[in-house]
Amino acid sequence: MSEYILHTVDVFDFLTNYRGEPFHAVLTDPPYGVGIGKQKWDGENPAWQPEFWRALMPHLLPNALVFAFGSARTYHYLASAAESGGFIIHNMMAFAYSNGLLKGASITQDNANEWWGYRYSVNPLKPAVEPILVCSKPPERSARYSIQRYGAGALNIKRAAIPSATPV
Protein backbone atom coordinates (compact mmCIF):
# COMPACT_ATOMS: atom_id res chain seq x y z
CA MET A 1 0.00 0.00 0.00
CA SER A 2 1.25 3.49 -0.84
CA GLU A 3 2.03 5.88 1.97
CA TYR A 4 0.89 9.49 1.86
CA ILE A 5 1.96 12.41 4.00
CA LEU A 6 -0.27 15.45 4.46
CA HIS A 7 1.57 18.75 4.86
CA THR A 8 -0.19 21.82 6.22
CA VAL A 9 1.55 24.85 4.75
CA ASP A 10 0.82 28.26 3.31
CA VAL A 11 0.07 27.64 -0.36
CA PHE A 12 2.30 30.49 -1.54
CA ASP A 13 5.22 29.17 0.56
CA PHE A 14 4.70 25.72 -0.96
CA LEU A 15 4.54 27.01 -4.54
CA THR A 16 7.61 29.19 -4.00
CA ASN A 17 9.72 26.40 -2.50
CA TYR A 18 8.51 23.27 -4.34
CA ARG A 19 11.32 21.74 -6.42
CA GLY A 20 9.79 18.38 -7.38
CA GLU A 21 8.42 17.03 -10.64
CA PRO A 22 5.65 18.98 -12.37
CA PHE A 23 2.11 17.77 -11.74
CA HIS A 24 -0.14 16.05 -14.28
CA ALA A 25 -3.23 17.38 -12.47
CA VAL A 26 -4.30 19.22 -9.33
CA LEU A 27 -7.39 18.63 -7.19
CA THR A 28 -7.98 21.34 -4.59
CA ASP A 29 -10.73 22.41 -2.21
CA PRO A 30 -9.70 25.94 -1.17
CA PRO A 31 -11.62 27.97 1.42
CA TYR A 32 -14.95 29.19 0.08
CA GLY A 33 -14.90 32.58 1.76
CA VAL A 34 -18.51 32.33 2.91
CA GLY A 35 -17.87 32.32 6.68
CA ILE A 36 -18.38 28.62 7.43
CA GLY A 37 -19.01 28.59 11.17
CA LYS A 38 -17.14 31.91 11.45
CA GLN A 39 -13.90 29.95 11.08
CA LYS A 40 -10.79 32.06 10.47
CA TRP A 41 -9.53 29.65 7.79
CA ASP A 42 -12.63 30.36 5.67
CA GLY A 43 -11.81 34.02 5.15
CA GLU A 44 -9.83 35.29 2.20
CA ASN A 45 -9.29 32.64 -0.42
CA PRO A 46 -5.82 32.61 -2.03
CA ALA A 47 -7.35 30.93 -5.10
CA TRP A 48 -9.32 34.14 -5.74
CA GLN A 49 -6.03 35.86 -6.56
CA PRO A 50 -4.52 35.61 -10.06
CA GLU A 51 -1.11 35.49 -8.32
CA PHE A 52 -2.01 32.05 -6.93
CA TRP A 53 -2.70 30.71 -10.41
CA ARG A 54 0.46 32.32 -11.82
CA ALA A 55 2.48 30.71 -9.00
CA LEU A 56 0.88 27.32 -9.73
CA MET A 57 1.49 27.45 -13.50
CA PRO A 58 5.24 26.54 -13.51
CA HIS A 59 4.54 23.41 -11.45
CA LEU A 60 2.18 21.89 -14.03
CA LEU A 61 2.89 19.98 -17.20
CA PRO A 62 1.54 21.56 -20.39
CA ASN A 63 -2.22 20.97 -20.68
CA ALA A 64 -2.44 19.71 -17.05
CA LEU A 65 -5.95 19.89 -15.61
CA VAL A 66 -6.91 21.60 -12.37
CA PHE A 67 -10.13 20.77 -10.50
CA ALA A 68 -10.96 23.36 -7.81
CA PHE A 69 -14.06 23.14 -5.63
CA GLY A 70 -15.94 26.35 -4.91
CA SER A 71 -19.19 27.58 -3.44
CA ALA A 72 -22.19 28.46 -5.55
CA ARG A 73 -22.00 32.02 -4.24
CA THR A 74 -18.27 32.63 -4.81
CA TYR A 75 -17.39 30.36 -7.76
CA HIS A 76 -17.08 33.36 -10.06
CA TYR A 77 -14.10 34.68 -8.06
CA LEU A 78 -12.32 31.35 -8.51
CA ALA A 79 -12.94 31.13 -12.27
CA SER A 80 -12.09 34.79 -12.88
CA ALA A 81 -8.79 34.54 -10.98
CA ALA A 82 -7.80 31.33 -12.82
CA GLU A 83 -8.52 32.93 -16.19
CA SER A 84 -6.66 36.11 -15.22
CA GLY A 85 -3.78 33.88 -14.10
CA GLY A 86 -3.47 32.41 -17.60
CA PHE A 87 -5.50 29.20 -17.33
CA ILE A 88 -7.98 27.94 -19.93
CA ILE A 89 -11.46 27.59 -18.41
CA HIS A 90 -13.42 24.45 -19.36
CA ASN A 91 -17.01 23.40 -18.66
CA MET A 92 -17.55 23.23 -14.92
CA MET A 93 -18.40 20.08 -13.02
CA ALA A 94 -20.50 19.92 -9.86
CA PHE A 95 -20.77 17.89 -6.70
CA ALA A 96 -24.52 17.64 -6.06
CA TYR A 97 -26.06 16.53 -2.77
CA SER A 98 -29.39 16.83 -0.97
CA ASN A 99 -28.48 17.30 2.68
CA GLY A 100 -27.42 20.97 2.79
CA LEU A 101 -28.70 23.11 5.65
CA LEU A 102 -31.18 25.87 4.84
CA LYS A 103 -29.43 29.17 5.63
CA GLY A 104 -32.03 31.89 5.08
CA ALA A 105 -34.12 33.34 7.88
CA SER A 106 -37.86 32.74 7.87
CA ILE A 107 -39.99 35.84 7.32
CA THR A 108 -42.62 34.61 9.75
CA GLN A 109 -43.09 31.88 12.33
CA ASP A 110 -46.86 31.78 11.75
CA ASN A 111 -47.89 28.92 9.42
CA ALA A 112 -51.12 30.70 8.56
CA ASN A 113 -49.36 33.89 7.48
CA GLU A 114 -49.16 34.70 3.75
CA TRP A 115 -45.33 34.73 4.06
CA TRP A 116 -45.10 31.18 5.45
CA GLY A 117 -42.28 29.28 3.72
CA TYR A 118 -40.57 32.39 2.40
CA ARG A 119 -36.98 33.00 3.44
CA TYR A 120 -34.50 35.84 3.07
CA SER A 121 -30.76 36.50 3.47
CA VAL A 122 -27.69 36.60 1.27
CA ASN A 123 -28.22 32.89 0.62
CA PRO A 124 -31.84 31.84 1.29
CA LEU A 125 -31.64 28.67 -0.80
CA LYS A 126 -30.64 25.30 0.59
CA PRO A 127 -27.16 24.56 -0.77
CA ALA A 128 -27.26 21.47 -2.94
CA VAL A 129 -24.29 21.88 -5.27
CA GLU A 130 -20.61 22.69 -5.06
CA PRO A 131 -19.31 23.90 -8.42
CA ILE A 132 -15.97 22.48 -9.50
CA LEU A 133 -13.81 24.71 -11.66
CA VAL A 134 -12.15 22.72 -14.45
CA CYS A 135 -9.29 24.55 -16.09
CA SER A 136 -5.95 23.73 -17.66
CA LYS A 137 -2.52 25.11 -18.22
CA PRO A 138 -2.24 26.09 -21.88
CA PRO A 139 -0.89 23.23 -24.01
CA GLU A 140 2.44 23.15 -25.76
CA ARG A 141 1.73 23.42 -29.52
CA SER A 142 -1.71 21.72 -29.24
CA ALA A 143 -3.78 19.76 -26.72
CA ARG A 144 -3.29 16.52 -28.66
CA TYR A 145 0.48 17.05 -28.80
CA SER A 146 0.71 17.81 -25.07
CA ILE A 147 -1.44 14.82 -24.10
CA GLN A 148 0.65 12.45 -26.19
CA ARG A 149 3.98 13.92 -25.06
CA TYR A 150 3.29 14.55 -21.34
CA GLY A 151 0.25 12.40 -20.56
CA ALA A 152 -1.57 15.37 -19.04
CA GLY A 153 -4.93 16.90 -19.85
CA ALA A 154 -7.13 14.00 -20.98
CA LEU A 155 -10.15 12.55 -19.19
CA ASN A 156 -11.36 9.01 -19.80
CA ILE A 157 -15.03 9.91 -20.12
CA LYS A 158 -16.12 6.38 -21.14
CA ARG A 159 -14.67 4.92 -17.92
CA ALA A 160 -16.23 7.64 -15.79
CA ALA A 161 -19.74 7.31 -17.23
CA ILE A 162 -22.53 6.11 -14.98
CA PRO A 163 -24.10 2.99 -16.50
CA SER A 164 -27.48 3.59 -18.05
CA ALA A 165 -30.16 1.39 -19.59
CA THR A 166 -30.46 3.95 -22.37
CA PRO A 167 -27.37 4.33 -24.58
CA VAL A 168 -26.06 7.88 -24.62
Side-chain angles (χ1 to χ4, degrees):
M1 176 182 276
S2 298
E3 183 176 314
Y4 297 93
I5 299 172
L6 179 65
H7 298 276
T8 304
V9 297
D10 178 271
V11 69
F12 286 108
D13 288 343
F14 173 80
L15 292 172
T16 301
N17 297 311
Y18 179 74
R19 299 292 180 255
E21 294 291 318
F23 300 107
H24 285 79
V26 170
L27 173 65
T28 183
D29 192 4
Y32 293 176
V34 295
I36 296 173
K38 297 185 177 26
Q39 297 292 319
K40 183 178 178 180
W41 59 263
D42 191 45
E44 270 300 306
N45 182 341
W48 292 353
Q49 303 170 33
E51 294 79 19
F52 164 80
W53 297 93
R54 288 187 200 108
L56 177 60
M57 188 78 75
H59 301 294
L60 299 173
L61 290 167
N63 209 48
L65 290 167
V66 177
F67 302 89
F69 282 76
S71 88
R73 223 172 71 215
T74 60
Y75 172 84
H76 60 291
Y77 296 132
L78 194 62
S80 180
E83 187 172 46
S84 295
F87 282 76
I88 298 168
I89 306 300
H90 300 287
N91 290 346
M92 66 167 259
M93 296 170 66
F95 173 65
Y97 51 93
S98 63
N99 61 345
L101 297 174
L102 201 53
K103 303 283 194 269
S106 177
I107 292 175
T108 180
Q109 302 299 322
D110 181 1
N111 291 352
N113 186 299
E114 66 179 303
W115 291 107
W116 182 81
Y118 286 84
R119 301 184 85 72
Y120 68 96
S121 79
V122 172
N123 189 19
L125 303 175
K126 179 179 172 180
V129 67
E130 289 182 43
I132 304 168
L133 170 67
V134 181
C135 61
S136 64
K137 178 176 179 171
E140 183 180 302
R141 293 174 36 182
S142 71
R144 179 174 282 125
Y145 174 84
S146 292
I147 290 166
Q148 291 174 342
R149 177 157 188 208
Y150 301 104
L155 297 173
N156 190 335
I157 302 301
K158 291 281 188 188
R159 290 267 174 115
I162 298 169
S164 171
T166 307
V168 183

Tab-separated table of all heavy atoms in Angstrom, residues 96-103 125-130:
chain	number	residue	atom	x	y	z
A	96	ALA	N	-23.136	17.388	-6.463
A	96	ALA	CA	-24.520	17.639	-6.057
A	96	ALA	C	-24.887	16.735	-4.883
A	96	ALA	O	-24.498	15.577	-4.838
A	96	ALA	CB	-25.465	17.382	-7.229
A	97	TYR	N	-25.642	17.282	-3.949
A	97	TYR	CA	-26.062	16.535	-2.765
A	97	TYR	C	-27.395	17.097	-2.290
A	97	TYR	O	-27.818	18.176	-2.711
A	97	TYR	CB	-25.008	16.614	-1.663
A	97	TYR	CG	-24.567	18.023	-1.347
A	97	TYR	CD1	-25.176	18.753	-0.346
A	97	TYR	CD2	-23.548	18.628	-2.071
A	97	TYR	CE1	-24.786	20.044	-0.062
A	97	TYR	CE2	-23.147	19.924	-1.800
A	97	TYR	CZ	-23.771	20.623	-0.789
A	97	TYR	OH	-23.379	21.911	-0.511
A	98	SER	N	-28.056	16.395	-1.403
A	98	SER	CA	-29.391	16.828	-0.974
A	98	SER	C	-29.487	17.162	0.510
A	98	SER	O	-30.560	17.481	0.996
A	98	SER	CB	-30.413	15.739	-1.297
A	98	SER	OG	-30.098	14.566	-0.572
A	99	ASN	N	-28.384	17.120	1.232
A	99	ASN	CA	-28.482	17.298	2.680
A	99	ASN	C	-27.934	18.634	3.182
A	99	ASN	O	-27.569	18.749	4.329
A	99	ASN	CB	-27.775	16.144	3.397
A	99	ASN	CG	-26.304	16.067	3.051
A	99	ASN	OD1	-25.858	16.690	2.085
A	99	ASN	ND2	-25.559	15.308	3.818
A	100	GLY	N	-27.882	19.666	2.339
A	100	GLY	CA	-27.420	20.974	2.786
A	100	GLY	C	-28.390	21.587	3.788
A	100	GLY	O	-29.581	21.284	3.793
A	101	LEU	N	-27.861	22.450	4.643
A	101	LEU	CA	-28.699	23.114	5.653
A	101	LEU	C	-29.241	24.421	5.087
A	101	LEU	O	-28.502	25.216	4.524
A	101	LEU	CB	-27.873	23.403	6.908
A	101	LEU	CG	-27.331	22.176	7.634
A	101	LEU	CD1	-26.411	22.601	8.764
A	101	LEU	CD2	-28.469	21.331	8.159
A	102	LEU	N	-30.528	24.647	5.283
A	102	LEU	CA	-31.182	25.871	4.839
A	102	LEU	C	-30.602	27.038	5.634
A	102	LEU	O	-30.575	27.009	6.857
A	102	LEU	CB	-32.686	25.732	5.076
A	102	LEU	CG	-33.617	26.611	4.288
A	102	LEU	CD1	-33.341	26.503	2.794
A	102	LEU	CD2	-35.048	26.218	4.556
A	103	LYS	N	-30.123	28.067	4.955
A	103	LYS	CA	-29.434	29.165	5.628
A	103	LYS	C	-30.313	30.399	5.855
A	103	LYS	O	-30.093	31.142	6.772
A	103	LYS	CB	-28.214	29.594	4.804
A	103	LYS	CG	-27.234	28.484	4.529
A	103	LYS	CD	-26.397	28.182	5.725
A	103	LYS	CE	-25.204	27.335	5.388
A	103	LYS	NZ	-25.350	25.943	5.465
A	125	LEU	N	-31.405	29.996	-0.245
A	125	LEU	CA	-31.640	28.666	-0.797
A	125	LEU	C	-30.829	27.611	-0.062
A	125	LEU	O	-29.732	27.866	0.426
A	125	LEU	CB	-31.268	28.648	-2.284
A	125	LEU	CG	-31.983	29.672	-3.157
A	125	LEU	CD1	-31.434	29.617	-4.566
A	125	LEU	CD2	-33.478	29.413	-3.144
A	126	LYS	N	-31.361	26.428	-0.003
A	126	LYS	CA	-30.644	25.299	0.592
A	126	LYS	C	-29.508	24.926	-0.354
A	126	LYS	O	-29.740	24.658	-1.532
A	126	LYS	CB	-31.603	24.126	0.761
A	126	LYS	CG	-30.980	22.901	1.330
A	126	LYS	CD	-32.044	21.818	1.473
A	126	LYS	CE	-31.431	20.508	1.866
A	126	LYS	NZ	-32.429	19.461	2.000
A	127	PRO	N	-28.247	24.920	0.130
A	127	PRO	CA	-27.156	24.562	-0.766
A	127	PRO	C	-27.256	23.093	-1.175
A	127	PRO	O	-27.482	22.222	-0.350
A	127	PRO	CB	-25.904	24.820	0.075
A	127	PRO	CG	-26.362	24.762	1.488
A	127	PRO	CD	-27.805	25.184	1.490
A	128	ALA	N	-27.144	22.837	-2.454
A	128	ALA	CA	-27.255	21.468	-2.943
A	128	ALA	C	-26.211	21.156	-4.004
A	128	ALA	O	-26.216	20.081	-4.570
A	128	ALA	CB	-28.645	21.231	-3.517
A	129	VAL	N	-25.301	22.097	-4.240
A	129	VAL	CA	-24.287	21.877	-5.265
A	129	VAL	C	-23.017	22.646	-4.910
A	129	VAL	O	-23.079	23.740	-4.356
A	129	VAL	CB	-24.811	22.305	-6.663
A	129	VAL	CG1	-25.015	23.803	-6.752
A	129	VAL	CG2	-23.887	21.833	-7.759
A	130	GLU	N	-21.890	22.010	-5.152
A	130	GLU	CA	-20.606	22.689	-5.058
A	130	GLU	C	-20.015	22.685	-6.456
A	130	GLU	O	-19.693	21.624	-6.999
A	130	GLU	CB	-19.669	21.961	-4.088
A	130	GLU	CG	-20.079	22.108	-2.653
A	130	GLU	CD	-19.117	21.412	-1.705
A	130	GLU	OE1	-17.893	21.528	-1.889
A	130	GLU	OE2	-19.612	20.736	-0.794
